[in-house]
Coordinates of all heavy atoms in Angstrom, one line a residue:
G1348 N 8.3 -25.2 -20.5 CA 6.9 -25.1 -21.0 C 5.9 -25.6 -20.0 O 4.8 -25.0 -19.8
I1349 N 6.2 -26.6 -19.2 CA 5.3 -27.1 -18.2 C 5.1 -26.0 -17.1 O 4.0 -25.7 -16.7 CB 5.9 -28.4 -17.5 CG1 5.9 -29.6 -18.5 CG2 5.2 -28.7 -16.2 CD1 6.6 -30.8 -18.0
G1350 N 6.3 -25.4 -16.7 CA 6.1 -24.3 -15.7 C 5.3 -23.2 -16.2 O 4.5 -22.5 -15.5
A1351 N 5.5 -22.9 -17.5 CA 4.7 -21.7 -18.1 C 3.2 -21.9 -18.0 O 2.4 -21.0 -17.9 CB 5.1 -21.5 -19.6
V1352 N 2.8 -23.2 -18.1 CA 1.3 -23.5 -18.0 C 0.8 -23.0 -16.6 O -0.2 -22.4 -16.5 CB 1.1 -25.0 -18.2 CG1 -0.4 -25.3 -17.9 CG2 1.4 -25.4 -19.6
G1353 N 1.6 -23.4 -15.6 CA 1.2 -23.0 -14.3 C 1.3 -21.5 -14.0 O 0.4 -20.9 -13.4
V1354 N 2.3 -20.9 -14.6 CA 2.4 -19.4 -14.5 C 1.2 -18.7 -15.1 O 0.6 -17.8 -14.5 CB 3.7 -18.9 -15.1 CG1 3.8 -17.4 -15.0 CG2 4.9 -19.5 -14.4
G1355 N 0.8 -19.1 -16.2 CA -0.3 -18.5 -16.9 C -1.6 -18.6 -16.2 O -2.5 -17.8 -16.1
M1356 N -1.8 -19.8 -15.6 CA -3.0 -20.1 -14.8 C -3.1 -19.2 -13.6 O -4.1 -18.7 -13.2 CB -3.1 -21.6 -14.5 CG -3.3 -22.5 -15.7 SD -2.9 -24.2 -15.4 CE -4.4 -24.7 -14.6
V1357 N -1.9 -19.2 -12.8 CA -1.9 -18.3 -11.7 C -2.2 -16.9 -12.0 O -2.9 -16.1 -11.3 CB -0.6 -18.4 -10.9 CG1 -0.4 -17.4 -9.9 CG2 -0.5 -19.8 -10.3
Y1358 N -1.6 -16.4 -13.1 CA -1.7 -15.0 -13.5 C -3.1 -14.6 -13.8 O -3.6 -13.6 -13.3 CB -0.8 -14.8 -14.7 CG -0.6 -13.3 -15.0 CD1 0.6 -12.7 -14.6 CD2 -1.5 -12.5 -15.7 CE1 0.9 -11.4 -14.8 CE2 -1.3 -11.2 -15.9 CZ -0.1 -10.6 -15.5 OH 0.1 -9.3 -15.7
T1359 N -3.8 -15.4 -14.6 CA -5.2 -15.0 -14.9 C -6.1 -15.0 -13.8 O -7.0 -14.2 -13.6 CB -5.7 -15.9 -16.1 OG1 -6.9 -15.3 -16.6 CG2 -6.0 -17.3 -15.6
V1360 N -5.9 -16.0 -12.8 CA -6.7 -16.0 -11.6 C -6.4 -14.8 -10.8 O -7.4 -14.2 -10.3 CB -6.4 -17.3 -10.8 CG1 -7.0 -17.2 -9.4 CG2 -7.0 -18.6 -11.6
A1361 N -5.2 -14.5 -10.6 CA -4.8 -13.4 -9.6 C -5.3 -12.0 -10.2 O -6.0 -11.2 -9.4 CB -3.3 -13.3 -9.4
V1362 N -5.0 -11.7 -11.4 CA -5.4 -10.4 -12.0 C -6.9 -10.2 -12.0 O -7.5 -9.2 -11.6 CB -4.9 -10.3 -13.4 CG1 -5.5 -9.1 -14.1 CG2 -3.4 -10.1 -13.4
N1363 N -7.7 -11.2 -12.4 CA -9.1 -11.1 -12.5 C -9.8 -11.3 -11.2 O -11.0 -10.9 -11.1 CB -9.6 -12.1 -13.6 CG -9.1 -11.6 -14.9 OD1 -9.6 -10.6 -15.5 ND2 -8.2 -12.3 -15.5
T1364 N -9.2 -11.8 -10.2 CA -9.8 -11.7 -8.8 C -9.8 -10.3 -8.4 O -10.8 -9.9 -7.8 CB -8.9 -12.6 -7.8 OG1 -9.0 -14.0 -8.2 CG2 -9.5 -12.4 -6.4
A1365 N -8.8 -9.5 -8.7 CA -8.8 -8.1 -8.3 C -9.9 -7.4 -9.1 O -10.6 -6.5 -8.5 CB -7.4 -7.5 -8.6
V1366 N -10.0 -7.6 -10.4 CA -11.0 -6.9 -11.2 C -12.4 -7.2 -10.7 O -13.3 -6.3 -10.6 CB -10.9 -7.4 -12.7 CG1 -12.1 -6.9 -13.5 CG2 -9.6 -6.9 -13.3
K1367 N -12.6 -8.5 -10.2 CA -14.0 -8.8 -9.8 C -14.3 -8.3 -8.4 O -15.4 -7.9 -8.1 CB -14.1 -10.4 -9.8 CG -14.1 -11.0 -11.1 CD -14.1 -12.5 -11.1 CE -13.9 -13.2 -12.4 NZ -15.0 -12.8 -13.4
W1368 N -13.3 -8.2 -7.5 CA -13.6 -7.7 -6.1 C -13.6 -6.2 -6.0 O -14.3 -5.7 -5.1 CB -12.5 -8.3 -5.2 CG -12.8 -9.6 -4.6 CD1 -12.3 -10.8 -5.0 CD2 -13.6 -9.9 -3.5 NE1 -12.8 -11.8 -4.3 CE2 -13.6 -11.3 -3.3 CE3 -14.4 -9.1 -2.6 CZ2 -14.3 -11.9 -2.3 CZ3 -15.1 -9.8 -1.6 CH2 -15.0 -11.1 -1.5
F1369 N -12.8 -5.5 -6.8 CA -12.6 -4.1 -6.6 C -12.9 -3.2 -7.9 O -12.0 -2.7 -8.5 CB -11.2 -3.8 -6.1 CG -10.9 -4.6 -4.9 CD1 -10.0 -5.7 -5.0 CD2 -11.3 -4.2 -3.6 CE1 -9.7 -6.4 -3.9 CE2 -11.0 -4.9 -2.5 CZ -10.2 -6.0 -2.6
P1370 N -14.2 -3.1 -8.2 CA -14.5 -2.4 -9.5 C -14.2 -0.9 -9.4 O -14.0 -0.3 -10.4 CB -16.0 -2.5 -9.6 CG -16.5 -2.8 -8.2 CD -15.4 -3.6 -7.6
D1371 N -14.1 -0.3 -8.2 CA -13.7 1.1 -8.1 C -12.3 1.4 -7.9 O -11.9 2.5 -7.8 CB -14.6 1.7 -6.9 CG -14.4 0.9 -5.6 OD1 -14.0 -0.2 -5.7 OD2 -14.7 1.5 -4.5
R1372 N -11.4 0.3 -7.8 CA -10.0 0.5 -7.6 C -9.2 -0.5 -8.4 O -8.3 -1.2 -8.0 CB -9.6 0.4 -6.1 CG -10.1 1.5 -5.2 CD -9.4 2.8 -5.5 NE -9.9 3.9 -4.6 CZ -10.9 4.7 -4.8 NH1 -11.7 4.5 -6.0 NH2 -11.2 5.6 -4.0
R1373 N -9.7 -0.6 -9.7 CA -9.1 -1.7 -10.5 C -7.6 -1.4 -10.8 O -6.8 -2.4 -10.7 CB -9.8 -1.7 -11.9 CG -11.2 -2.4 -11.8 CD -11.8 -2.5 -13.1 NE -13.1 -3.2 -12.9 CZ -14.3 -2.8 -13.4 NH1 -14.3 -1.6 -14.1 NH2 -15.4 -3.5 -13.2
G1374 N -7.2 -0.2 -11.0 CA -5.8 0.1 -11.3 C -4.9 -0.2 -10.1 O -3.8 -0.8 -10.3
L1375 N -5.3 0.2 -9.0 CA -4.5 -0.1 -7.7 C -4.4 -1.5 -7.4 O -3.4 -2.1 -7.2 CB -5.2 0.7 -6.6 CG -4.5 0.4 -5.2 CD1 -3.1 0.9 -5.2 CD2 -5.3 1.1 -4.1
T1376 N -5.6 -2.2 -7.5 CA -5.5 -3.6 -7.0 C -4.9 -4.6 -8.0 O -4.2 -5.5 -7.6 CB -7.0 -4.1 -6.6 OG1 -7.8 -3.9 -7.7 CG2 -7.5 -3.4 -5.4
T1377 N -5.1 -4.3 -9.3 CA -4.4 -5.1 -10.3 C -2.9 -4.8 -10.2 O -2.0 -5.6 -10.5 CB -4.9 -5.0 -11.7 OG1 -4.9 -3.6 -12.0 CG2 -6.3 -5.5 -11.8
G1378 N -2.6 -3.5 -9.9 CA -1.2 -3.1 -9.7 C -0.5 -3.8 -8.6 O 0.6 -4.3 -8.7
I1379 N -1.3 -4.0 -7.5 CA -0.7 -4.7 -6.3 C -0.4 -6.2 -6.7 O 0.7 -6.7 -6.4 CB -1.6 -4.7 -5.1 CG1 -1.7 -3.3 -4.6 CG2 -1.2 -5.6 -4.0 CD1 -2.8 -3.1 -3.5
G1380 N -1.3 -6.8 -7.4 CA -1.2 -8.2 -7.7 C 0.0 -8.4 -8.7 O 0.8 -9.3 -8.6
T1381 N 0.0 -7.6 -9.8 CA 1.0 -7.7 -10.8 C 2.4 -7.2 -10.3 O 3.4 -7.6 -10.8 CB 0.6 -7.1 -12.1 OG1 0.3 -5.7 -11.8 CG2 -0.6 -7.7 -12.7
M1382 N 2.4 -6.3 -9.3 CA 3.6 -5.9 -8.7 C 4.3 -7.1 -8.1 O 5.5 -7.2 -8.2 CB 3.4 -4.8 -7.6 CG 4.6 -4.4 -6.9 SD 4.3 -3.3 -5.4 CE 3.4 -4.5 -4.3
A1383 N 3.5 -7.9 -7.4 CA 4.1 -9.1 -6.8 C 4.7 -10.0 -7.8 O 5.8 -10.7 -7.5 CB 3.0 -9.9 -6.0
F1384 N 4.1 -10.1 -9.0 CA 4.7 -10.9 -10.1 C 6.1 -10.4 -10.5 O 6.9 -11.2 -11.0 CB 3.7 -10.9 -11.3 CG 4.1 -11.8 -12.4 CD1 4.1 -13.2 -12.2 CD2 4.5 -11.3 -13.6 CE1 4.4 -14.0 -13.3 CE2 4.9 -12.2 -14.6 CZ 4.8 -13.5 -14.5
A1385 N 6.3 -9.1 -10.4 CA 7.6 -8.6 -10.8 C 8.5 -8.4 -9.7 O 9.6 -9.0 -9.7 CB 7.4 -7.2 -11.5
A1386 N 8.1 -7.7 -8.7 CA 9.1 -7.4 -7.5 C 9.4 -8.7 -6.7 O 10.4 -8.8 -6.1 CB 8.5 -6.4 -6.6
G1387 N 8.5 -9.6 -6.7 CA 8.7 -10.8 -6.0 C 10.0 -11.6 -6.4 O 10.6 -12.3 -5.6
S1388 N 10.3 -11.5 -7.7 CA 11.5 -12.2 -8.2 C 12.8 -11.5 -7.7 O 13.9 -12.1 -8.0 CB 11.4 -12.3 -9.7 OG 11.4 -11.0 -10.2
A1389 N 12.7 -10.3 -7.2 CA 14.0 -9.6 -6.8 C 14.8 -10.5 -5.8 O 16.0 -10.4 -5.7 CB 13.7 -8.3 -6.2
A1390 N 14.0 -11.2 -4.9 CA 14.7 -12.1 -4.0 C 15.3 -13.3 -4.6 O 16.3 -13.9 -4.1 CB 13.7 -12.5 -2.9
F1391 N 14.8 -13.7 -5.8 CA 15.3 -14.9 -6.4 C 16.5 -14.7 -7.3 O 17.3 -15.6 -7.5 CB 14.2 -15.5 -7.3 CG 13.0 -16.1 -6.6 CD1 11.9 -15.4 -6.4 CD2 13.2 -17.4 -6.1 CE1 10.8 -16.0 -5.7 CE2 12.1 -18.0 -5.3 CZ 10.9 -17.3 -5.2

């Protein structure tokens, strides 16, 4: 539960940083950020 608090905070910051910076490429840039959330665990 403690770890989940940190995960949720990182997630909302990362996704919405992409939304705020790249209004014309939202699908691509949020895809890059959330791709890291999924594919990054392949090493773990």
Side-chain angles (χ1 to χ4, degrees):
I1349 291 170
V1352 171
V1354 175
M1356 294 165 78
V1357 168
Y1358 195 98
T1359 194
V1360 168
V1362 167
N1363 291 288
T1364 296
V1366 170
K1367 293 175 187 296
W1368 272 99
F1369 304 103
D1371 51 343
R1372 292 293 183 270
R1373 285 183 178 129
L1375 174 63
T1376 53
T1377 58
I1379 292 172
T1381 56
M1382 176 189 69
F1384 185 69
S1388 62
F1391 289 99

